Amino acid sequence: MTTIQGDIAPPRPVSKLRAWFTGFGQPPRLMGLDIARALAVLGMMGAHLLTTPELSLLDPSTWGALVHGRSAILFAVLAGVSISLMTGRTRLPETAELPAIRLTLVVRGAAIFAIGLVLELLGTPIAVILTFYGALYIVAAAFVRWRGSHLLIAAGVLAVAGPPLLALLQALTFHSNGPGAGLVLFGTYPLTVWLALLLAGMAIGRAGLERTRDRVRLLVIGVLLAMVGYGLGTLGAAARPDAESSYADEGSSVSGGSSGGSASLSESDAGSGSLLGVSPDQIDFTGTLCDDYGDAYISCYPLDAGVQDEEAQTQTSGWESYFVELAAQDPLGSALFALFAVEPHSGGTAEIIGSGGFAVAVIALCLLLSAPLRWVLLPFAALGSMPLSAYSAHVLSYALIAGPGVFLDSFDVWVSSAVVLLVASTLWSILRGRGPLEALLARLSAAVSPAAVSPRSR
């Protein structure tokens, strides 16, 4: 087309779709991290919606159990990576920047915590991770000036010493609990233990992730950590083949004991009307005393044991009674068990190291594959660019589909939910950019401290 001299030819229009396909996830953004976030969200959805057999690496039919526990750990490690990218990447923030950065992290954490509380009020059996996730952001404000080596040392100390010390503390306090202790010490996501995962993620973010050799090194480190952690768990299991086990996953919890001990029915199972284990008519309760605490947990023990306990209480008192009960708690055995515990959500040292290494390897693989498989993985990157919105939409849809307190176990619901989220997040990213809740957090951050978070972050 010819133009009259002096005129300016109108620019050729470029569609939003074409611009998104060519520009989304390009540097300085790391598309591989978005893909890893998507896998974490989809994995947690699977943990909420699927009942799987015990994982056996030699049996592919059990590999679906990988979503249990490991998805949440991947989410926590990625939180640390994101915080480092938000606060300077490989460059430590200057002292003058710290007040604004820390205020932004606290505001973001408080907002995420509030969103988590709203989701908990929906009444699903899901152990919503966002309240814990928000608390991690607040705690991270104290570590943004730490060097990568210091972050790794602290993460290692917490991972190795944290679980046994918490188990010992539980025994010494007779498993006392409360809202604060549940959040910081003994809950599904104990902050003092999971902080190791956050610090490890921050160290990864500080190390730099742009070069291929750095990503390969990260993959090797992740595989080695997974081998050490799961190897430690295997040794522990071999040493206690007859030990009772407990399993707690996102959304449900089950613990079992021998006859004359205790049995637990989670709220999710109560809502579905099914019992795990044996039915009550198959148990002989003769000579037993049962306590119903009104929360779907019934504890039973031999009647004469209760009488003996009362007689023992009349004969002992004060510190003497305390030490008698403490011996029954077996604090050293509990601490040793916590060191080797590798089961999902056990919070054991072996789980933190093994599943933490698994998460690191997943992150490295996503970074390595993001370039050669870019066009295939774009929908996953779109989902991972708005993990807060996607996770919240999943919990909301769970509540709408199942109703309050009802446990869903459906592969079809998981697949359909995953497809809907992938399509919806891709369309939203093309048309609007940031996810709705991510945009809200950005506005809150800008309101309190406009220059605190780099636009090149994430």
Side-chain angles (χ1 to χ4, degrees), residues 231-301:
L232 188 65
T234 301
L235 290 175
R240 47 181 176 84
D242 299 325
E244 296 176 2
S245 63
S246 64
Y247 176 79
D249 201 2
E250 301 105 328
S252 63
S253 61
V254 181
S255 62
S258 58
S259 60
S262 64
S264 167
L265 172 65
S266 70
E267 293 180 9
S268 58
D269 302 309
S272 64
S274 63
L275 277 169
L276 295 177
V278 296
S279 59
D281 57 5
Q282 294 178 292
I283 303 175
D284 182 8
F285 289 99
T286 304
T288 63
L289 182 64
C290 296
D291 295 324
D292 185 352
Y293 297 102
D295 58 355
Y297 188 97
I298 300 176
S299 178
C300 298
Y301 45 86

Side-chain angles (χ1 to χ4, degrees), residues 36-425:
R37 291 188 191 100
L39 294 181
V41 172
L42 295 175
M44 285 190 287
M45 289 170 55
H48 301 155
L49 292 167
L50 303 177
T51 298
T52 59
E54 185 178 352
L55 176 65
S56 173
L57 294 179
L58 301 180
D59 184 1
S61 65
T62 68
W63 289 356
L66 285 170
V67 299
H68 295 294
R70 297 167 187 84
S71 302
I73 285 180
L74 175 59
F75 209 51
V77 174
L78 285 166
V81 176
S82 298
I83 288 170
S84 285
L85 299 187
M86 289 167 52
T87 57
R89 292 187 177 239
T90 57
R91 178 188 68 85
L92 293 178
E94 300 294 335
T95 304
E97 299 175 296
L98 288 180
I101 288 175
R102 285 172 172 161
L103 178 60
T104 299
L105 289 175
V106 169
V107 169
R108 281 178 174 252
I112 294 171
F113 188 91
I115 293 169
L117 287 180
V118 172
L119 295 179
E120 288 181 350
L121 293 176
L122 296 177
T124 67
I126 295 173
V128 176
I129 197 175
L130 293 185
T131 48
F132 157 77
Y133 196 67
L136 274 183
Y137 265 75
I138 295 172
V139 173
F143 299 96
V144 292
R145 277 277 294 171
W146 283 35
R147 297 185 181 277
S149 58
H150 296 166
L151 292 169
L152 286 177
I153 292 172
V157 170
L158 284 173
V160 174
L165 289 177
L166 286 182
L168 187 62
L169 182 61
Q170 273 193 308
L172 292 174
T173 59
F174 296 160
H175 297 265
S176 60
N177 208 341
L183 175 64
V184 179
L185 300 174
F186 307 130
T188 303
Y189 307 109
L191 199 61
T192 43
V193 172
W194 283 59
L195 182 58
L197 301 167
L198 176 83
L199 297 179
M202 290 179 67
I204 292 171
R206 289 278 182 249
L209 301 170
E210 288 80 6
R211 296 178 299 182
T212 300
R213 66 179 182 182
D214 292 332
R215 297 172 179 183
V216 172
R217 181 174 59 183
L218 191 65
L219 175 61
V220 172
I221 292 173
V223 171
L224 290 176
L225 285 173
M227 292 174 62
V228 170
Y230 294 135
L232 188 65
T234 301
L235 290 175
R240 47 181 176 84
D242 299 325
E244 296 176 2
S245 63
S246 64
Y247 176 79
D249 201 2
E250 301 105 328
S252 63
S253 61
V254 181
S255 62
S258 58
S259 60
S262 64
S264 167
L265 172 65
S266 70
E267 293 180 9
S268 58
D269 302 309
S272 64
S274 63
L275 277 169
L276 295 177
V278 296
S279 59
D281 57 5
Q282 294 178 292
I283 303 175
D284 182 8
F285 289 99
T286 304
T288 63
L289 182 64
C290 296
D291 295 324
D292 185 352
Y293 297 102
D295 58 355
Y297 188 97
I298 300 176
S299 178
C300 298
Y301 45 86
L303 183 60
D304 56 351
V307 174
Q308 292 172 6
D309 287 343
E310 291 182 4
E311 292 177 351
Q313 290 176 6
T314 60
Q315 296 173 3
T316 60
S317 60
W319 285 107
E320 183 180 356
S321 176
Y322 171 81
F323 286 114
V324 169
E325 293 293 332
L326 182 60
Q329 293 288 328
D330 187 18
L332 294 180
S334 298
L336 188 61
F337 178 87
L339 182 66
F340 290 98
V342 75
E343 294 81 6
H345 287 290
S346 63
T349 293
E351 186 203 8
I352 297 299
I353 296 175
S355 296
F358 177 84
V360 171
V362 168
I363 292 170
L365 278 175
C366 289
L367 289 167
L368 288 169
L369 296 176
S370 59
L373 298 180
R374 170 179 168 78
W375 304 110
V376 177
L377 297 175
L378 270 174
F380 292 90
L383 173 60
S385 70
M386 51 188 82
L388 180 60
S389 299
Y391 181 90
S392 301
H394 157 61
V395 178
L396 178 60
S397 66
Y398 191 112
L400 293 175
I401 294 171
V406 177
F407 177 73
L408 274 178
D409 181 7
S410 173
F411 179 80
D412 292 338
V413 172
W414 177 60
V415 171
S416 59
S417 298
V419 171
V420 168
L421 275 180
L422 285 168
V423 172
S425 58

